[in-house]
Amino acid sequence: ISYPGCAAQVFLLGFFISAEYCLLTVMACDRYIAICKPLHYGTLLCSRACVHMAVAAWGSAFLNAVLHTANTLSLPLYQGNILDQFFCEIPQILKLSCSHSY
């Protein structure tokens, strides 16, 4: 796989996983308010608040994916920029790195 293709895979995988976790957290907060404070649900979670929480979830997922991708791909590799793998994941890239990964 090429280096840009690997970077795209690492970014998209990190983004989608982070976005799913953040959106599940937002959904859990929504259900908590609906069950524990049903009379205040309309005032606490209007449609504007839901949009803000969704945008915050996607924004934090994007920031998380950018930081993980930039930190992982900034490490020097043994064989240059060509990876002989079908799917790029962060642990495999760290194994190919010629610097200490801690």
Side-chain angles (χ1 to χ4, degrees), residues 30-94:
D30 175 61
R31 292 296 90 199
Y32 170 77
I33 292 173
I35 293 170
C36 295
K37 299 181 181 185
L39 298 177
H40 297 288
Y41 184 79
T43 58
L44 292 175
L45 286 180
C46 60
S47 61
R48 186 174 180 174
C50 292
V51 169
H52 284 197
M53 287 190 296
V55 169
W58 288 324
S60 63
F62 179 79
L63 181 63
N64 185 27
V66 165
L67 290 176
H68 278 293
T69 303
N71 285 335
T72 302
L73 297 178
S74 66
L75 298 172
L77 301 176
Y78 281 120
Q79 291 92 10
N81 290 343
I82 302 297
L83 300 174
D84 295 329
Q85 295 179 357
F86 178 71
F87 188 74
C88 285
E89 291 178 327
I90 293 176
Q92 278 72 26
I93 297 172
L94 291 178

